[in-house]
Amino acid sequence: MKSAVETLNPTRVRLTVEVPFEELKESLDAAYKKINQQVTVKGFRKGKIPARVIDQRFGRGAVLEEAVNDALPKFYTEAVNEAELNVLGQPEVDITELKDNETLNFTAEVDIRPAIEIPDYSGIEVEVDAVEVSDEDVEKAVEELRERFASTSPVERAAEDGDVVTLDLEAKVDGEVLEDGVASGVSYTIGSGELLEGIDEAVTGVEAGGEATFTSELKGGSAAGKESEVTVKVTQVAARELPSLDDDFAQLASEFDTLDELKADSRKRLENMKQYDQATQAQERVLEKLLELVEVPVPEKLLADEIETRKHNLVNHQLGQMGLDLEKYLEIQGKTEEEFDAETKEQAEKGIKTQFVLDELVNKEKLNVNQEELTEHLMRRAQSSNMSPDQFAQAVVEGGQVPMLVGEVARGKALAVVVEAASVKDTNGEVVDLDDEDETETAAEVAADATESEAPAEAAAEEKTEA
């Protein structure tokens, strides 16, 4: 076999391959064997039909077609390996010449990873938010904890903001009660905004036993997005009572003996959260600076496929779970379809560039991923998907997504190398020292977010659980 490579542009090549006919012998033998198992000829046992009979009855052309279809992937792969190409996607193959007992010639056009030159990135400088936790932040956190330990008790008065009401609801569209539009015993906190728009105004001022009717657009169900007439009956009004902020509350709500200890712990937790956010912000801003330094051509077909994948994941996994379609989503976002398409293209292009640049850094820095790093990343992914690590791991393995997770960790390590070399200061001018272990994991998450709209691992996990 002989092959040659022609560069069509920085991201696409054409392979020209010439195959001597004798190298097709193995595929020809396999073709005769396969046809033997599929056809019957009077006078011959199945599987024992001579080749000359198959040629006479079914035509040599059918055998050649079967043989070529079997051989092409092998010869294409040999040509790719011989030229040491890093191909992307499937090739467009064209058989240019096929002469029986003489030769097979074909061309294959395919996208390749562009050659990328990683410049000196040690001069990158970024600024991030300072880690500052105010007394008001701590008070807010403690108040939110206090809300979780609130108790309720029925009252004989009209419902007020903050009360917990028990409701029976009935929704009608065009005067007809919906099959899935009736609910009883629904507990709702007035002012929480967790149910239908307009319900707060409808039930405020209504006593137990009273009812009200209002119009609202349904968020989900069989009539999602439609205007509905909703009748709501209040069966109980209960007032929420918050516990006193004292040492007894600290002992009730935590492992601490005093309120001061609880507040100190809340402050520490808030500082940790802000430090994590700061690390993520540093990764994102360093990545932006890095991409500005590198010229990265993007294959057109790869970009088109990535745009389609992002749309598919958004519509079928994210919006589907919320009972929305793309049209309704764009209405909520206040975007036109043209604006959405432009944003999706920009994100897809950035994702591809990020992957190319970080993969090149992985090779340049000779970075490897060990089992401990992969397991830690998998557990983080499982947690963000609200799945157990075992469930998530099984879905990822069955979906063939393990290499993708390995790639995320490796790219995270590459980004962490760049961040370590960069100058990171906060808004107070202080140098930010990021924790190495946390830095690597947050970098893996930043890299994953940049390269995918919704990770295929999560999609595979969702499809597994749905099945």
Side-chain angles (χ1 to χ4, degrees):
M1 185 196 81
K2 293 192 302 182
S3 65
V5 181
E6 176 188 357
T7 300
L8 302 178
N9 61 50
T11 64
R12 194 166 179 84
V13 298
R14 179 189 291 122
L15 285 163
T16 301
V17 184
E18 298 179 11
V19 183
F21 207 81
E22 56 266 23
E23 294 187 31
L24 281 173
K25 184 179 185 308
E26 184 179 330
S27 294
L28 280 167
D29 291 343
Y32 278 115
K33 185 175 181 180
K34 182 176 180 181
I35 293 173
N36 239 307
Q37 299 299 323
Q38 293 175 336
V39 301
T40 57
V41 176
K42 189 175 181 179
F44 297 95
R45 286 185 296 161
K46 194 165 189 175
K48 300 296 182 180
I49 307 169
R52 59 179 176 76
V53 175
I54 290 177
D55 288 346
Q56 291 169 357
R57 288 293 188 92
F58 306 102
R60 175 72 167 176
V63 180
L64 287 174
E65 182 180 356
E66 184 67 40
V68 169
N69 288 340
D70 175 74
L72 276 178
K74 178 182 70 173
F75 292 125
Y76 165 73
T77 301
E78 286 181 11
V80 166
N81 292 338
E82 186 178 284
E84 298 182 342
L85 298 175
N86 196 338
V87 299
L88 302 166
Q90 296 300 314
E92 295 179 5
V93 178
D94 181 27
I95 298 174
T96 55
E97 186 176 24
L98 175 57
K99 289 184 178 180
D100 197 0
N101 292 314
E102 290 187 31
T103 187
L104 164 66
N105 298 335
F106 69 91
T107 61
E109 288 191 18
V110 65
D111 288 332
I112 60 170
R113 279 181 179 257
I116 297 174
E117 187 68 35
I118 303 294
D120 179 17
Y121 48 78
S122 60
I124 290 178
E125 298 180 358
V126 298
E127 184 180 75
V128 295
D129 295 335
V131 174
E132 297 174 341
V133 178
S134 66
D135 292 342
E136 289 76 12
D137 293 332
V138 175
E139 295 298 330
K140 182 180 178 181
V142 173
E143 190 61 31
E144 289 174 353
L145 181 62
R146 187 184 178 204
E147 290 278 348
R148 288 167 49 190
F149 283 85
S151 59
T152 60
S153 57
V155 292
E156 295 183 3
R157 58 166 172 77
E160 300 175 355
D161 187 43
D163 284 346
V164 178
V165 289
T166 305
L167 309 171
D168 294 339
L169 298 107
E170 180 184 84
K172 294 180 181 179
V173 173
D174 297 330
E176 296 291 331
V177 178
L178 300 171
E179 288 186 10
D180 55 355
V182 178
S184 300
V186 177
S187 180
Y188 176 67
T189 301
I190 299 176
S192 65
E194 294 175 352
L195 276 179
L196 298 168
E197 186 176 345
I199 195 169
D200 291 332
E201 294 82 358
V203 298
T204 299
V206 179
E207 298 183 12
E211 65 178 51
T213 301
F214 63 101
T215 300
S216 182
E217 183 179 300
L218 298 178
K219 295 181 179 179
S222 62
K226 293 185 178 180
E227 286 292 318
S228 172
E229 182 184 86
V230 182
T231 299
V232 56
K233 181 177 180 180
V234 178
T235 60
Q236 179 180 277
V237 178
R240 299 177 75 250
E241 298 177 3
L242 297 175
S244 300
L245 278 178
D246 52 24
D247 292 346
D248 289 338
F249 168 69
Q251 294 166 24
L252 170 69
S254 70
E255 69 271 31
F256 302 107
D257 293 326
T258 68
L259 184 61
D260 287 342
E261 290 174 330
L262 173 61
K263 288 184 177 181
D265 180 70
S266 296
R267 182 178 294 276
K268 183 62 178 175
R269 288 175 185 271
L270 290 171
E271 286 175 351
N272 290 340
M273 289 172 59
K274 288 189 178 248
Q275 285 171 350
Y276 182 86
D277 291 342
Q278 185 188 64
T280 300
Q281 191 179 65
Q283 311 283 358
E284 291 173 344
R285 293 184 177 179
V286 168
L287 177 59
E288 292 282 355
K289 293 280 189 178
L290 176 63
L291 294 179
E292 290 174 7
L293 294 176
V294 188
E295 186 67 32
V296 185
V298 176
E300 290 183 11
K301 188 175 186 306
L302 181 64
L303 178 59
D305 290 344
E306 178 66 13
I307 291 171
E308 184 59 34
T309 297
R310 286 172 180 259
K311 283 186 177 180
H312 173 83
N313 287 339
L314 174 66
V315 173
N316 293 280
H317 297 293
Q318 294 167 279
L319 299 184
Q321 289 181 344
M322 296 186 288
L324 298 174
D325 59 16
L326 183 58
E327 183 179 354
K328 186 62 181 176
Y329 168 75
L330 293 178
E331 182 183 329
I332 294 172
Q333 294 291 313
K335 296 177 184 175
T336 65
E337 190 169 349
E338 290 74 18
E339 289 171 335
F340 169 76
D341 288 341
E343 286 182 11
T344 303
K345 180 181 179 181
E346 182 181 351
Q347 292 165 358
E349 197 166 33
K350 179 185 175 183
I352 293 170
K353 289 182 177 180
T354 298
Q355 185 169 329
F356 284 174
V357 171
L358 294 183
D359 284 348
E360 184 63 29
L361 268 168
V362 168
N363 295 329
K364 181 180 179 181
E365 301 292 342
K366 296 180 173 57
L367 302 174
N368 297 307
V369 177
N370 61 42
Q371 186 61 47
E372 183 180 352
E373 291 167 334
L374 180 59
T375 300
E376 174 66 21
H377 186 61
L378 185 146
M379 292 180 69
R380 294 258 189 142
R381 282 289 204 176
Q383 185 178 19
S384 66
S385 300
N386 296 318
M387 298 178 70
S388 72
D390 288 344
Q391 286 177 317
F392 187 80
Q394 182 180 356
V396 167
V397 170
E398 292 181 1
Q401 300 293 338
V402 173
M404 188 210 66
L405 288 185
V406 173
E408 288 178 356
V409 179
R411 291 179 201 117
K413 295 180 75 169
L415 180 54
V417 168
V418 182
V419 173
E420 187 175 350
S423 171
V424 182
K425 294 183 179 180
D426 66 20
T427 49
N428 294 328
E430 299 292 330
V431 174
V432 175
D433 184 19
L434 302 173
D435 180 85
D436 289 343
E437 184 175 345
D438 289 342
E439 181 182 340
T440 300
E441 184 53 41
T442 55
E445 294 175 6
V446 168
D449 288 343
T451 55
E452 292 153 349
S453 57
E454 184 203 37
E458 272 81 347
E462 288 171 9
E463 289 171 358
K464 173 66 178 174
T465 54
E466 288 169 3

